[in-house]
Amino acid sequence: MKLALRLIRREAIALSLLCAIGAPGSVFADIALEVSDARARTVLRQMTDHLSQQKSFTLKATNTVEVVLVSGQKLQFDSASEVAVARPNKMQAARVGDLEQQAFVYDGQKLSVSSQNDGNPYYASVAAPPTLEGALDFARESLDIIAPAGDLLYANAYDILMEDVISGMYVGTGTVAGVRCHHLAFRGTQTDWQIWIEDGAMPLPRKMVITSKWTTGAPQYTVTTSDWNMAPKLAAGRFKFVPPKDAVQLDFIAPAAAPALSRQSTAEDRK
């Protein structure tokens, strides 16, 4: 009888220990996820606030977009961009890549785009809203033109980046091209994305990977930035559009009517 009582007591103690350890463990896990989510959002907010406060800056970016064939095979296409911004209403960018060679100029009144097609230069210009954010919206929604690093250029970039987000995660620290960064990951309803933000007094976005998770093959779009200059000397002529020599002038065509002058893949539409 004494042995039976000791066994029952031992099992009771073991069960109580399991309850004491198991239940709080679940609670602690939930708390840890909440802390990780909050930290990821805080770091992201610091980055977007920092960029929105900059009156002018320049950067370089390399982009890789994946295309999934009907067979399931993936192809990657690269491009390199240089971007200059002067708030509140000027932007210039040039993009050279496997699929396109383009230049964008927004001078506060007009948006102009030039492009090379089989060596033949073309360009188009159109009146645009008086702010950078308005011009970016107009280009995306009315012309189907996505400026390089477009989402990061908005004054309210945080709201735009987070509009589809379900949860966030602070992954830890890592390095991008030798730069120590905070590694964040976010889940959305349509896309999942990761971003690496420079650690320190200059919280700049150094890398971003966007995954179109419901598209067959889950193609990714990757952008890596470098050569940030937060106090550039930008000549006024940099934001003056000059058509390429012998370029043919065209009119922009609305996306609903036909493919626009610049159409990006589904994965790149988020960037």
Side-chain angles (χ1 to χ4, degrees):
M1 175 64 82
K2 290 182 178 179
L3 178 60
L5 288 173
R6 283 200 298 267
L7 289 174
I8 293 172
R9 187 180 298 114
R10 185 182 303 169
E11 291 177 359
I13 293 173
L15 180 60
S16 65
L17 286 174
L18 285 174
C19 291
I21 294 173
S26 176
V27 173
F28 291 151
D30 290 341
I31 293 174
L33 289 175
E34 291 177 3
V35 171
S36 179
D37 181 281
R39 186 175 183 185
R41 293 170 188 260
T42 297
V43 174
L44 184 70
R45 172 75 77 175
Q46 291 171 345
M47 181 274 289
T48 56
D49 286 352
H50 177 73
L51 271 186
S52 68
Q53 293 165 5
Q54 306 306 309
K55 299 300 183 183
S56 62
F57 56 89
T58 61
L59 69 137
K60 293 181 180 180
T62 56
N63 311 270
T64 300
V65 61
E66 287 186 341
V67 175
V68 182
L69 303 181
V70 175
S71 65
Q73 183 179 11
K74 286 186 178 182
L75 303 179
Q76 290 189 341
F77 298 95
D78 293 341
S79 64
S81 306
E82 294 187 12
V83 181
V85 171
R87 299 190 190 278
N89 60 357
K90 290 180 174 59
M91 184 199 75
Q92 180 269 336
R95 176 162 49 200
V96 177
D98 298 331
L99 301 177
E100 57 199 353
Q101 181 176 337
Q102 296 176 325
F104 305 76
V105 178
Y106 167 62
D107 63 5
Q109 296 180 327
K110 288 186 176 183
L111 172 66
S112 301
V113 179
S114 62
S115 180
Q116 292 275 353
N117 185 7
D118 295 329
N120 300 313
Y122 301 88
Y123 76 95
S125 296
V126 65
T131 64
L132 177 59
E133 289 76 17
L136 291 170
D137 282 342
F138 171 73
R140 183 192 299 264
E141 296 168 6
S142 299
L143 306 177
D144 202 21
I145 294 175
I146 313 297
D151 282 352
L152 299 175
L153 306 183
Y154 284 83
N156 62 332
Y158 180 85
D159 296 332
I160 293 172
L161 291 171
M162 297 297 288
E163 65 185 7
D164 183 53
V165 167
I166 299 171
S167 64
M169 177 192 304
Y170 183 85
V171 181
T173 57
T175 57
V176 177
V179 177
R180 183 178 176 84
C181 298
H182 299 284
H183 181 190
L184 318 178
F186 295 91
R187 293 180 60 241
T189 58
Q190 300 299 318
T191 61
D192 292 342
W193 51 281
Q194 304 171 70
I195 189 168
W196 288 255
I197 296 172
E198 183 172 342
D199 186 19
M202 300 283 283
L204 299 171
R206 290 291 180 170
K207 182 180 177 181
M208 193 170 186
V209 178
I210 302 169
T211 303
S212 299
K213 57 185 181 180
W214 304 126
T215 301
T216 301
Q220 292 185 324
Y221 172 77
T222 303
V223 57
T224 304
T225 69
S226 64
D227 295 272
W228 287 86
N229 185 347
M230 312 313 288
K233 296 180 180 180
L234 299 173
R238 182 152 188 175
F239 303 102
K240 180 180 179 181
F241 178 71
V242 178
K245 183 180 179 181
D246 299 325
V248 176
Q249 184 173 6
L250 302 174
D251 293 327
F252 285 111
I253 302 174
L261 189 60
S262 171
R263 179 178 293 277
Q264 305 303 314
S265 70
T266 300
E268 192 177 3
D269 280 348
R270 284 279 301 145
K271 254 340 275 159

